[in-house]
Amino acid sequence: MSIACKKRLKNEKLLVCAILVQLALGCAFTLFVEYGNESNGAYVGNSYHGVHLGVQEKKSGKNSLPNSYYMFQDVHLMMFIGFGYLLMLMKNSDRRSITLYFLVVAISLQWGTLCYGFFRTVKGKIYLDIDSLLNADFACAGVLISCAAVSEFVTPLQLMFMALLEIAFSSTNKWVGSVVFQASDVGSSMFIHAFGAYFGLAVSFVLYRRTAYCVNRQSSRKNEANDPIRSTFSASIGTMFLWILWPSFNACLAKGDAEQFRAIINTYYSLSASCVTAFAVSSLVANCFMCAENSSRQKFNMDVFQNSTLVGGVVIGTSADMMVNIWGAMIIGGLAGAGSVFIDRFSAKHIVDRVSGIRDAWRVNTLHGMPGILAGLVGAVVSAAATKEDYGFSLYRQFPARSPLNSSSEFLRIEYYNLRIDPGIERTASQQAGYQIAALVVTLAIAIVGGLGTGMVLLLPFFRQPVPSEENDSQSDLSHAVDQLLLSDRNATVDNVVTTEPVTTITENPSSVC
């Protein structure tokens, strides 16, 4: 094999790994994955005019797929258009970023299906239903959130393997929280938003400490990447899609029709209140507080406004299907939107960025991390206040662990009314709130520890990519699709960097720098 062919093969390491990963996923699906009853042609319930008849639907002959699929379609659209275009707001991102996000999403959807199904196997098989697809999308959302934190520090190959490791950790965490602790998090604000944010920040913290910047490469793409018109327009598209489709995101996994409709209503008004207060407070901050500094009238910060309008959907996520009341949802969303603007303006975010070495740490933290933590705390408070007078028997569907024991008189009443509620362990409201807090703490612990471990894995020599020459720059389009930090074995590592300014990479041959 010629030297040119070897170099080309080394440059195409991402494509080779992607093919191998796809083959491995295909083998796993062949061995473990089967159609569920809703889509299995051999299932006798599907013989009635092609309509799957559940036990509760035999009289009406109603097909449950359309309603579920509409919400799945909304969530799926959020992954590609919502998060994809919003992430183009990141610094040093270019239009080729969408290509890599497409690849990462496609791999994450398949791997997320397997990881979610491995904790819910039946006789060694994973049977797919609409919830399997929804949870795969949710796992993918966590990966895309982490992308915002690591985009400046990873190569595409590192990003792909980070997605595989993160989904394994997040699926384990979700099983611990939802099955072991039986915590309620219908909008996955804890299990997806908080987890994805702090997992990504932990990874980027490790990579920053062990990675040097390539100044020439970064500066050559800075003008294109930071085009204010293009980036603002792209992020606005992502923001609008997320804002419109977020009620489906928070409601799609609700366990009953009433819970699902309640989640839609609460998210709807929380987002609305967050948008209005974010607009007003952002204008107030820009035109009053900043005028004192610049002695001129300022426009509000569009980046802050875009993030603050979405905070309402994150902060209501855990309690979206709970009885928080409509005015409660508006208060939660309004305070979150206003607080996000004030925190972004008056906090010591530059100190945090300098210490952590993560440029967009505060933006990821204020949009997903801190609202995810706040959502977990709100969910604990609402859980502690939940009573049977407010929920009726649906309290036991909302919090399965609070359901009465199988031998109790209360459960006999449930069976008498044929309410299809499983027996529980008779948790009290305060105990349920405690388990909600425990799920939040475990989520943060697994995210941070898993992120630090993943960052160490991504520093292995296998993930280092050669810096492409100018002649072969056309072959490296995919390699710099995400804001890359290219490493070379001959590059000297710059340690203990405490400034956010790029560090010049030292090489033996100055002409070979990026």
Side-chain angles (χ1 to χ4, degrees):
M1 184 180 294
S2 64
I3 298 178
C5 291
K6 289 182 179 180
K7 288 184 177 180
R8 183 177 295 274
L9 182 60
K10 193 174 183 180
N11 289 336
E12 301 298 339
K13 187 186 296 185
L14 171 65
L15 302 182
V16 174
C17 290
I19 292 174
L20 294 177
V21 168
Q22 182 58 56
L23 290 175
L25 291 173
C27 292
F29 270 79
T30 302
L31 295 174
F32 301 109
V33 181
E34 299 284 349
Y35 288 119
N37 288 337
E38 294 85 350
S39 54
N40 191 347
Y43 183 67
V44 66
N46 295 327
S47 300
Y48 299 92
H49 306 291
V51 177
H52 172 71
L53 300 180
V55 177
Q56 71 275 21
E57 298 168 345
K58 283 187 176 180
K59 292 183 180 180
S60 64
K62 178 183 176 181
N63 189 348
S64 62
L65 176 61
N67 291 335
S68 301
Y69 183 76
Y70 292 150
M71 288 199 169
F72 164 72
Q73 198 173 31
D74 290 347
V75 174
H76 207 52
L77 193 62
M78 288 178 65
M79 298 304 105
F80 288 93
I81 298 182
F83 281 108
Y85 277 94
L86 182 63
L87 289 176
M88 289 186 71
L89 181 64
M90 296 182 302
K91 293 181 180 180
N92 301 323
S93 181
D94 55 42
R95 62 194 64 179
R96 282 177 293 253
S97 299
I98 289 294
T99 303
L100 184 60
Y101 294 144
F102 205 154
L103 174 63
V104 171
V105 168
I107 293 176
S108 299
L109 293 178
Q110 299 175 69
W111 180 232
T113 301
L114 291 173
C115 289
Y116 172 80
F118 283 147
F119 290 103
R120 295 160 180 83
T121 56
V122 179
K123 297 181 179 180
K125 293 290 184 179
I126 300 172
Y127 293 95
L128 296 184
D129 55 15
I130 198 68
D131 283 348
S132 302
L133 306 184
L134 287 169
N135 278 281
D137 273 335
F138 273 55
C140 179
V143 172
L144 293 179
I145 291 170
S146 298
C147 286
V150 304
S151 62
E152 291 190 60
F153 302 95
V154 294
T155 64
L157 182 63
Q158 288 175 320
L159 188 62
M160 184 179 70
F161 278 88
M162 187 203 75
L164 297 176
L165 293 174
E166 179 178 355
I167 290 175
F169 282 113
S170 65
S171 298
T172 303
N173 174 72
K174 189 169 186 177
W175 177 79
V176 172
S178 61
V179 177
V180 178
F181 291 155
Q182 297 192 52
S184 178
D185 188 20
V186 67
S188 293
S189 291
M190 294 188 295
F191 299 149
I192 295 300
H193 292 281
F195 185 94
Y198 291 111
F199 184 95
L201 293 176
V203 172
S204 59
F205 177 81
V206 174
L207 295 181
Y208 176 84
R209 295 298 176 182
R210 299 293 300 273
T211 305
Y213 273 80
C214 189
V215 176
N216 294 340
R217 186 63 158 200
Q218 190 177 4
S219 60
S220 65
R221 298 191 178 277
K222 189 172 182 180
N223 293 334
E224 177 188 1
N226 293 337
D227 180 4
I229 297 178
R230 181 181 61 82
S231 62
T232 301
F233 178 73
S234 300
S236 299
I237 293 176
T239 301
M240 285 188 288
F241 269 94
L242 289 174
W243 198 87
I244 293 170
L245 302 177
W246 212 294
S248 295
F249 186 88
N250 281 351
C252 61
L253 294 179
K255 298 176 181 178
D257 292 342
E259 290 84 353
Q260 194 171 75
F261 191 32
R262 189 160 59 238
I264 293 174
I265 293 174
N266 289 337
T267 307
Y268 186 87
Y269 288 104
S270 179
L271 282 168
S272 300
S274 175
C275 180
V276 174
T277 55
F279 183 89
V281 174
S282 180
S283 299
L284 176 67
V285 169
N287 296 326
C288 295
F289 294 99
M290 295 181 68
C291 282
E293 302 174 2
N294 302 330
S295 67
S296 61
R297 187 173 180 84
Q298 301 284 336
K299 295 181 179 179
F300 62 86
N301 190 325
M302 189 63 182
D303 298 352
V304 175
F305 175 68
Q306 286 165 334
N307 284 342
S308 300
T309 56
L310 299 176
V311 166
V314 180
V315 77
I316 198 67
T318 300
S319 57
D321 60 341
M322 301 180 190
M323 293 287 292
V324 298
N325 292 316
I326 300 174
W327 55 267
M330 297 177 71
I331 291 176
I332 293 171
L335 292 177
S340 177
V341 176
F342 274 109
I343 290 174
D344 190 271
R345 174 63 182 87
F346 297 106
S347 65
K349 63 178 182 178
H350 300 297
I351 298 177
V352 174
D353 290 350
R354 259 201 313 272
V355 173
S356 64
I358 307 169
R359 290 188 176 186
D360 287 333
W362 203 255
R363 181 166 298 168
V364 176
N365 195 27
T366 53
L367 176 57
H368 299 286
M370 293 175 63
I373 294 176
L374 182 59
L377 297 177
V378 171
V381 172
V382 178
S383 299
T387 62
K388 189 179 177 182
E389 288 72 20
D390 293 329
Y391 290 84
F393 285 110
S394 66
L395 174 69
Y396 307 134
R397 187 168 53 243
Q398 182 74 48
F399 306 104
R402 294 191 61 180
S403 182
L405 298 174
N406 194 14
S407 57
S408 64
S409 59
E410 180 74 1
F411 191 75
L412 293 178
R413 292 181 61 196
I414 293 174
E415 287 187 321
Y416 175 80
Y417 290 111
N418 195 23
L419 297 179
R420 309 187 189 285
I421 295 176
D422 295 328
I425 56 177
E426 285 190 343
R427 272 185 193 167
T428 63
S430 58
Q431 288 175 336
Q432 181 64 40
Y435 277 99
Q436 295 283 141
I437 298 295
L440 176 60
V441 173
V442 171
T443 295
L444 296 177
I446 295 178
I448 294 173
V449 174
L452 294 175
T454 300
M456 297 302 295
V457 172
L458 297 182
L459 290 174
L460 295 176
F462 171 78
F463 296 103
R464 294 183 180 179
Q465 290 187 207
V467 179
S469 62
E470 294 182 1
E471 293 79 2
N472 295 327
D473 190 64
S474 61
Q475 300 294 331
S476 63
D477 285 347
L478 189 58
S479 297
H480 55 252
V482 173
D483 318 314
Q484 70 281 38
L485 275 173
L486 300 178
L487 296 176
S488 174
D489 291 333
R490 302 191 307 174
N491 288 349
T493 303
V494 179
D495 294 324
N496 301 323
V497 180
V498 294
T499 178
T500 58
E501 294 299 322
V503 179
T504 304
T505 304
I506 304 174
T507 62
E508 297 177 1
N509 183 6
S511 63
S512 65
V513 176
C514 295

